[in-house]
Amino acid sequence: MNNKIKKIIKKKSKSKIICLTAYSKNIAEIIDNHADIVLVGDSLGSVLYNYDTTRKVTLKMMVEHTKSVRMGVKKSLLVIDLPYNTYRNKSEALKNSKKVIKETKCDAVKIEGGVKVKEIVRHLVKNKIPVLGHIGVTPQTVKGKFKSKGKTELEKKQLIKDAVSLEQNGAFGIVLECVYTDIAKKITNQIKIPTIGIGASVNCDGQVLVTDDVVGLTNAKIKFVKKYTNIRKVINSAVSKFKQEVKSKKYPTKKYSY
Ligand code: KIV
C-alpha cells in the first residue's frame, strides 16, 4: 500500500484528515501545504462549467484538470473522481482507472456507491488501484434536489451496509456526504478505515469541502459550507486598481517597463 495512504489510515481517531478539492495547478499548490488529500472532484462540472449535474462531466475533462493539479501537488495524496458512466462494470472501471492513473499520475480514484459497487471496488483493489468510496448523497445518481441521508431506519441500515461493504472490499476511506450526525458517528466508530465528511458532522475522521466554496469564489448557499474568506472581493479590488492605474497611466511605470 502507498505510504501516503498508510499515513492517512493511521490518522483515524487520532488526528483529523484534511481534504480539499482542486481543479488546477495554482490552487493545488496552496492546498498541498495543508491537506492530506487533494481531490479533483467531478464537482468541477457545476463549479467551473455551470452544469446542472455532474453526469455531464467526462473522463477527458477529469484527466485534463488532474494533469494541471498534479503539477501543484507534491506531498498530498492526489485522488481523482471517476465520472458518471465510466465505471459501469469492473472491466470498464479498471480500464478507466488505469488510464487516468497513467495519464495524470494521480494516486487513487474515488467512486460513488456502496454495496452496488462492491465488485468494482474489489476488482480495482485486487489490481492495485487504491479506492476512496463515497456514500450518502451521491451526486452522480441524485435526481433533483439533494436530500440528506440517514434519517429513517431504512436509510441508516443501508448506509451501514454500504460502509461495511466498502471496507470489506478494500476501500482505504469513505466520503460521507450529507449524512445525519448520529449515523455518521456510528459508521465512523464501526469501521477501521477513515470517514471523510462533507455535511456529515464533526464525528467523521476528516472533512472535505469544495475549495471554491471555502474561499468564496462560488456563491454556494449550502448548510454545511463555511466560507472562510471572500476571494471575490480581493480579486475585484485588485482588478479595479489595475483598471484605474491603466486609465490614469500610472501603470506601467519605468519599473515595469524595458
Ligand atoms: O466532486 C467533489 O468535489 C466531491 C466532494 C465534494 C466530496 O465529491
Side-chain angles (χ1 to χ4, degrees):
M1 191 189 279
N2 177 320
N3 277 337
K4 288 178 188 171
I5 294 178
K6 277 189 197 156
K7 267 193 189 167
I8 289 166
I9 295 175
K10 270 194 182 162
K11 286 195 165 188
K12 184 170 174 86
S13 317
K14 292 197 186 87
S15 151
K16 293 285 184 189
I17 296 160
I18 309 299
C19 177
L20 283 162
T21 61
Y23 311 132
S24 60
K25 171 181 156 274
N26 296 339
I27 297 280
E29 244 166 28
I30 301 170
I31 292 170
D32 191 40
N33 288 321
H34 304 278
D36 301 292
I37 303 174
V38 175
L39 171 68
V40 187
D42 61 357
S43 53
L44 62 81
S46 48
V47 176
L48 302 183
Y49 295 90
N50 241 15
Y51 295 164
D52 54 355
T53 163
T54 56
R55 286 188 178 201
K56 292 182 184 163
V57 175
T58 64
L59 199 67
K60 189 166 185 290
M61 289 164 76
M62 294 304 296
V63 165
E64 292 312 315
H65 282 282
T66 308
K67 278 191 203 162
S68 173
V69 170
R70 175 76 280 176
M71 290 187 262
V73 175
K74 301 282 178 274
K75 63 172 196 59
S76 312
L77 187 82
L78 178 56
V79 181
I80 184 173
D81 256 340
L82 284 188
Y84 182 63
N85 270 355
T86 64
Y87 54 98
R88 286 168 291 187
N89 53 60
K90 52 187 195 177
S91 56
E92 182 179 60
L94 183 60
K95 187 182 106 215
N96 285 325
S97 299
K98 281 185 172 168
K99 179 181 160 72
V100 295
I101 290 175
K102 187 169 175 227
E103 291 183 16
T104 71
K105 309 273 180 291
C106 68
D107 302 300
V109 300
K110 176 163 81 60
I111 65 175
E112 295 183 5
V115 176
K116 278 191 186 149
V117 291
K118 68 177 180 195
E119 271 157 30
I120 292 169
V121 175
R122 195 186 312 141
H123 190 58
L124 292 180
V125 174
K126 198 176 111 197
N127 283 280
K128 301 199 167 27
I129 311 280
V131 177
L132 179 61
H134 182 157
I135 60 173
V137 167
T138 47
Q140 292 175 9
T141 45
V142 169
K143 286 190 188 105
K145 255 187 139 189
F146 289 5
K147 208 179 138 281
S148 40
K149 296 276 178 192
K151 200 171 186 183
T152 64
E153 279 313 307
L154 199 71
E155 279 181 358
K156 284 183 194 180
K157 275 191 188 144
Q158 188 58 49
L159 281 166
I160 292 181
K161 275 191 198 161
D162 286 336
V164 169
S165 165
L166 284 167
E167 177 179 38
Q168 285 177 347
N169 287 291
F172 71 86
I174 307 176
V175 170
L176 297 183
E177 180 162 352
C178 298
V179 169
Y180 278 88
T181 303
D182 58 340
I183 191 70
K185 187 174 182 178
K186 196 165 180 193
I187 291 171
T188 303
N189 289 339
Q190 192 167 328
I191 59 175
K192 290 197 174 67
I193 54 171
T195 56
I196 303 171
I198 173 160
S201 85
V202 73
N203 296 305
C204 296
D205 298 303
Q207 297 293 328
V208 53
L209 281 177
V210 168
T211 301
D212 295 54
D213 295 338
V214 170
V215 300
L217 259 177
T218 57
N219 276 324
K221 291 193 174 50
I222 306 168
K223 182 173 169 64
F224 60 76
V225 167
K226 182 166 178 186
K227 192 162 141 178
Y228 286 83
T229 186
N230 189 340
I231 205 72
R232 272 184 180 255
K233 264 194 184 163
V234 177
I235 296 174
N236 197 53
S237 151
V239 169
S240 138
K241 277 184 198 144
F242 169 73
K243 180 179 167 185
Q244 276 170 23
E245 291 196 359
V246 170
K247 295 248 184 209
S248 61
K249 298 184 189 164
K250 271 194 184 162
Y251 176 86
T253 53
K254 271 195 176 159
K255 183 181 167 193
Y256 298 102
S257 308
Y258 294 104

